[in-house]
Amino acid sequence: MLILLLILFPFISAALLIVAGQKMAKPLVMGAALVELALAVTALLMFQKGNVELLSMNQPWISSLGISFHIAADGISLLMILLATSLMPIILYASFGKEQKNASVFYGLMMLMQGAMIGVFSAMDGFLFYIFWELALIPIYFIILVWGGENRQKITFKFFLYTLFGSLFMLLAFIYIYLQSPEKSFDIHVLYQTASQLSLVEQGWILAAFFLAFAVKMPVFPFHTWQPKTYYTAPTPGLMMLSAIMSKMATYGLIRWVIPMVPDGLAEFGHIGIILAVVSVIYASCISIVQKDFRYLIAYSSIAHVSLIAAGLLAVNIQSLQGGLIEMLSHAINTIGLFYACDIIFSRMGTTEMQKLGGIRAIDSRFAFLFFIVVLSAVALPFTTGFVGEFLLIVGIFKANAIAASFAGLSVILGVVYMFRSFQTIMLGETNALTATFAPITSREKITLIIIVILIIGIGVYPKPILDITEQSVKTLLEGIK
């Protein structure tokens, strides 16, 4: 089964990496990542041709509890799998510019994390989804704990505690629905049918439980307090995995589990989640404006963008869902670009405090140009990938709540304020004693940024292939809740 191989191959690669030794770590992990990407592309081609037999597997696992090893991939899952597999080689290639201590273990944990996330994106059993959800937390916990910066023990403990606490509510919701089902099964279709027939009050509580779990992981205000310091402390490759891919597990969870299971609950109480997400957009954007450290600014801006995705998904219409999906991809690409630019600056200057910087463009105009393209996408300029997703999201939110959409739209204006201000402070003006020593970017850094810019412009100019992957699956989902 191809879908099973997509999950197992990263785990096998992780085991091989750990025993292979330091010298073989880089070629082995890059080879594994490229093979995994090839498998994902093969799965997409099979899906587009209608050959979906190898993209589904359903075997009894713990039969006495109605738990099955049920995995499958539709257009929505495949887009998330492509996100995880296509960005992994870029993250790895960027990380090769620095030597990692115990590199084989470091890259093994990254592959383990990738496998768990693909498991999340393909699980069609509630208990299996929870297992992969929790499994993805373990490798990033150790990546930050061992390779992170100052105060990493305290910060990783808070991160672990928050996400584990939120996940508990999701598990309780799954168990409650399971107990109400006549079949006593965790199968996705049984859970859909059972939950959708519960009372409005029951659906409201289930919605609250899932939203809490996903809001912590995204994160959304006021469940975000673990995120900024975790992002600041995490090593850059782990940070890219966490911010670009792992946070999408939560937004994906809203689409896969919440929307089909509790349609009446969403119709009655979904506006509360939309309002909370829009408040999170405005709050995080305003906090970004007053940040003095560029790394913290990116962290808070990430909260704003993911909160906008959450608001759009809760609006539950084809524009908002399609916009949310393409914005997940866009946010991942932009976040990798921004954090990589931040890492380039820190590696040379030893700081990301913006007031200590300035005039870097005069030293390296190529870096300034590539960095500026990423900034333009982050502020949703037309013909960049950031524009496509945000436009569809705001249109979708407007159809559900015009007032919420008006405030959500402020994210674009506020984004211009904090992103352009940061670019101007860091890159423009006169050089100082510190930035005069800025070394031009290396070939590896240039290639990495060029790949990111190509993705930004390519998807921004022609998003149709991406939208086509998910369109039919989104329509099927919406038809199922009518």
Side-chain angles (χ1 to χ4, degrees):
M1 293 292 183
L2 181 58
I3 188 65
L4 179 62
L5 185 59
L6 273 165
I7 297 173
L8 289 181
F9 185 75
F11 288 103
I12 296 170
S13 302
L16 292 175
L17 275 162
I18 292 172
V19 301
Q22 308 305 309
K23 291 183 179 180
M24 291 298 297
K26 289 182 180 180
L28 184 57
V29 72
M30 181 57 78
L34 292 174
V35 170
E36 183 73 359
L37 175 58
L39 291 173
V41 172
T42 302
L44 175 63
L45 294 175
M46 293 176 61
F47 175 78
Q48 291 175 330
K49 293 178 180 178
N51 301 325
V52 297
E53 295 82 5
L54 296 179
L55 302 181
S56 179
M57 175 182 175
N58 190 357
Q59 295 293 326
W61 186 20
I62 309 176
S63 301
S64 60
L65 295 177
I67 299 171
S68 61
F69 197 88
H70 186 185
I71 51 177
D74 61 2
I76 297 170
S77 296
L78 279 172
L79 182 63
M80 295 294 99
I81 292 171
L82 284 169
L83 185 154
T85 55
S86 61
L87 296 183
M88 186 69 163
I90 299 174
I91 295 171
L92 290 172
Y93 181 73
S95 74
F96 290 168
K98 295 181 180 179
E99 292 299 323
Q100 305 288 347
K101 64 176 182 179
N102 298 321
S104 60
V105 177
F106 181 82
Y107 291 124
L109 288 171
M110 290 184 67
M111 291 303 298
L112 180 63
M113 187 176 173
Q114 184 191 48
M117 290 189 294
I118 292 174
V120 168
F121 297 141
S122 56
M124 297 294 163
D125 177 277
F127 187 80
L128 185 64
F129 177 84
Y130 175 78
I131 292 296
F132 280 124
W133 176 278
E134 293 296 270
L135 182 58
L137 178 63
I138 296 172
I140 190 61
Y141 171 81
F142 283 106
I143 287 172
I144 302 173
L145 184 65
V146 177
W147 288 272
E150 294 181 1
N151 299 319
R152 57 185 181 272
Q153 290 86 358
K154 181 180 178 180
I155 291 169
T156 49
F157 177 75
K158 183 177 182 179
F159 162 60
F160 190 83
L161 188 63
Y162 262 62
T163 51
L164 195 64
F165 175 76
S167 302
L168 177 62
F169 287 90
M170 177 175 65
L171 179 61
L172 292 174
F174 273 133
I175 292 174
Y176 182 82
I177 301 168
Y178 164 82
L179 293 175
Q180 308 309 309
S181 65
E183 295 90 341
K184 293 296 182 291
S185 170
F186 283 96
D187 184 80
I188 191 168
H189 302 296
V190 174
L191 294 178
Y192 281 1
Q193 183 177 10
T194 302
S196 62
Q197 294 175 355
L198 295 176
S199 69
L200 184 60
V201 173
E202 289 174 305
Q203 287 195 29
W205 282 111
I206 291 169
L207 171 61
F210 274 104
F211 184 77
L212 177 59
F214 296 148
V216 170
K217 184 79 80 175
M218 283 187 259
V220 170
F221 173 87
F223 310 106
H224 69 288
T225 56
W226 64 267
Q227 190 251 42
K229 288 188 177 180
T230 302
Y231 278 23
Y232 196 88
T233 302
T236 301
L239 171 57
M240 290 177 178
M241 294 279 287
L242 177 60
S243 61
I245 307 174
M246 191 174 183
S247 64
K248 308 309 178 295
M249 289 171 19
T251 48
Y252 169 82
L254 285 175
I255 300 174
R256 179 62 68 202
W257 297 99
V258 175
I259 292 173
M261 283 202 305
V262 289
D264 295 336
L266 270 174
E268 182 69 21
F269 306 110
H271 68 281
I272 299 174
I274 293 175
I275 292 170
L276 185 61
V278 171
V279 168
S280 183
V281 170
I282 303 300
Y283 165 81
S285 297
C286 291
I287 295 296
S288 296
I289 290 174
V290 300
Q291 288 304 306
K292 298 179 180 180
D293 190 293
F294 187 52
R295 198 175 180 99
Y296 275 125
L297 184 149
I298 304 171
Y300 279 104
S301 72
S302 180
I303 295 174
H305 284 93
V306 177
S307 297
L308 181 63
I309 295 172
L313 297 180
L314 292 172
V316 194
N317 54 66
I318 190 165
Q319 288 83 10
S320 66
L321 292 181
Q322 284 285 74
L325 286 163
I326 199 166
E327 182 63 15
M328 290 184 213
L329 180 60
S330 170
H331 173 263
I333 296 168
N334 294 340
T335 300
I336 288 177
L338 289 171
F339 276 121
Y340 190 55
C342 183
D343 186 65
I344 289 172
I345 294 168
F346 183 80
S347 67
R348 289 157 170 78
M349 303 290 93
T351 182
T352 49
E353 289 185 39
M354 292 183 285
Q355 293 302 324
K356 294 182 179 180
L357 304 171
I360 294 177
R361 174 188 167 278
I363 306 296
D364 192 342
S365 59
R366 291 174 300 178
F367 174 48
F369 174 75
L370 295 170
F371 182 19
F372 188 59
I373 298 298
V374 180
V375 168
L376 292 178
S377 184
V379 302
L381 187 80
F383 299 113
T384 67
T385 182
F387 173 76
V388 181
E390 291 202 16
F391 175 76
L392 289 172
L393 280 170
I394 293 172
V395 169
I397 297 169
F398 187 86
K399 294 177 75 171
N401 189 320
I403 296 175
S406 300
F407 282 98
L410 292 175
S411 64
V412 177
I413 299 172
L414 296 173
V416 170
V417 173
Y418 61 75
M419 289 307 304
F420 275 39
R421 165 183 164 269
S422 62
F423 181 83
Q424 180 179 0
T425 304
I426 295 170
M427 305 303 294
L428 304 182
E430 299 294 329
T431 58
N432 55 41
L434 177 63
T435 56
T437 64
F438 187 90
I441 56 174
T442 64
S443 297
R444 182 184 303 278
E445 292 166 340
K446 189 196 308 181
I447 291 170
T448 302
L449 288 171
I450 288 173
I451 292 171
I452 293 168
V453 166
I454 289 172
L455 291 173
I456 285 172
I457 297 175
I459 298 173
V461 171
Y462 191 58
K464 187 177 183 298
I466 305 297
L467 294 170
D468 285 348
I469 293 172
T470 58
E471 182 178 12
Q472 187 55 52
S473 296
V474 169
K475 288 181 178 178
T476 302
L477 184 149
L478 290 173
E479 291 169 358
I481 63 176
K482 288 181 179 179

